[in-house]
Amino acid sequence: MVTAAELGLLYAIMAVGVYLTYRVLDFPDLTVDGSYTTGAAISAVLIVNGVPIWVAILASVIGGMGAGVITGLLHVWGNINPLLAGILTQIALYSVNLRIMAKANVPLLRQTTVMTPLREAGLLGTWGSVAIFAAVVAVVGAAVYGFLGTSFGVAIRATGDNELMARSLGINTGVTKVAGLAISNGLVALCGSIMAQYQGYADISMGIGIIVAGLASVIIGQAIFGMTAVWQAVLAAMLGSVIYRMVVQAALSAGLAPNDMKLISAVLVVIALVLPQWSVLKKMRLRRRRVMEAEAA
């Protein structure tokens, strides 16, 4: 359970990135599968070559943002369908990531990483590390919430809500889309960088299907906690990631094989999409929303 909580919190950074494109921009971005690996690859290669850890992490974020920019430009300037633009970038990143790593796997077991102090202190795999990861994720979530409250953040939200209306208000929706995709994939790459250091390696296939986990986290969070406000939506995505990992861990503990993880993810997404449509849950969410509105008034 502790390991599931650790993984859920680390993957929560990726879930927030997916939330930005999937919910805020209303952009089905499949670049995530590639940019996640890009973050891991850049971080691993730089750390192995003696680059300071925080420089490696920053470089990973920049690499992920570059991938998001490419997807955005393909859509905005190339007028390519959002889904296809993400797929094209994702496919290209496979070769790019192989070029970065020069091989399929880069081990980090003998390297000093951001996880080394936790391992040496005996905190990794305990509730102490869970608390530390929760604090880090809280900072990331607060930063995203603060950004979405700025004028440019509001412009990005307006672009996702109603692009035509945003344009009529003088918002350059092309710029907001590219920026939103860059920030989203930067967060995904950050998650990839941290996960590579947590697992002790970067692998070319580690990002395959990661978009499903991100969508599952966002959808599960929405189904359980709702999304009536920006702070609630960000928090729901993060908590959804933790719940998703715990459910997966419970399924594996119940006897399912690790090879069944993709099946488990697909089933969880289906359940999360279907459950909110049930009349009982609809009434519960409506009642909760009314209570929140009454308290706010």
Side-chain angles (χ1 to χ4, degrees), residues 176-226:
T176 54
K177 285 183 178 181
V178 173
L181 286 165
I183 296 170
S184 170
N185 283 280
L187 288 171
V188 172
L190 172 61
C191 178
S193 172
I194 295 175
M195 282 305 302
Q197 296 176 66
Y198 177 82
Q199 296 173 343
Y201 66 90
D203 189 87
I204 190 63
S205 62
M206 65 188 296
I208 296 176
I210 201 71
I211 182 62
V212 178
L215 289 174
S217 301
V218 173
I219 294 171
I220 290 172
Q222 175 192 11
I224 297 177
F225 303 104

Side-chain angles (χ1 to χ4, degrees), residues 223-242:
I224 297 177
F225 303 104
M227 291 188 174
T228 56
V230 175
W231 69 267
Q232 187 179 13
V234 173
L235 180 61
M238 295 188 295
L239 293 178
S241 175
V242 176

Side-chain angles (χ1 to χ4, degrees), residues 27-245:
F27 192 106
D29 182 28
L30 295 184
T31 313
V32 171
D33 281 12
S35 60
Y36 177 84
T37 307
T38 299
I42 293 175
S43 186
V45 169
L46 291 180
I47 290 175
V48 167
N49 284 277
V51 175
I53 298 171
W54 298 110
V55 175
I57 293 175
L58 179 60
S60 299
V61 173
I62 294 173
M65 294 181 72
V69 168
I70 292 173
T71 299
L73 294 179
L74 287 175
H75 170 61
V76 175
W77 286 359
N79 200 28
I80 298 176
N81 177 274
L83 198 61
L84 181 56
I87 292 174
L88 290 172
T89 306
Q90 176 198 129
I91 292 173
L93 283 175
Y94 186 87
S95 296
V96 172
N97 294 334
L98 273 177
R99 286 279 187 177
I100 294 172
M101 294 192 294
K103 51 186 177 180
N105 185 284
V106 177
L108 291 171
L109 295 178
R110 296 182 180 180
Q111 305 296 325
T112 300
T113 67
V114 73
M115 297 296 168
T116 300
L118 295 178
R119 285 195 174 94
E120 293 178 347
L123 291 175
L124 207 59
T126 68
W127 289 110
S129 64
V130 171
I132 293 173
F133 292 161
V136 173
V137 171
V139 171
V140 173
V144 172
Y145 170 66
F147 169 75
L148 291 177
T150 64
S151 57
F152 190 71
V154 172
I156 292 177
R157 290 161 55 192
T159 301
D161 287 338
N162 192 323
E163 185 175 351
L164 292 177
M165 179 62 73
R167 287 179 181 175
S168 68
L169 294 174
I171 296 174
N172 189 329
T173 56
V175 172
T176 54
K177 285 183 178 181
V178 173
L181 286 165
I183 296 170
S184 170
N185 283 280
L187 288 171
V188 172
L190 172 61
C191 178
S193 172
I194 295 175
M195 282 305 302
Q197 296 176 66
Y198 177 82
Q199 296 173 343
Y201 66 90
D203 189 87
I204 190 63
S205 62
M206 65 188 296
I208 296 176
I210 201 71
I211 182 62
V212 178
L215 289 174
S217 301
V218 173
I219 294 171
I220 290 172
Q222 175 192 11
I224 297 177
F225 303 104
M227 291 188 174
T228 56
V230 175
W231 69 267
Q232 187 179 13
V234 173
L235 180 61
M238 295 188 295
L239 293 178
S241 175
V242 176
I243 293 172
Y244 167 75
R245 289 294 159 185

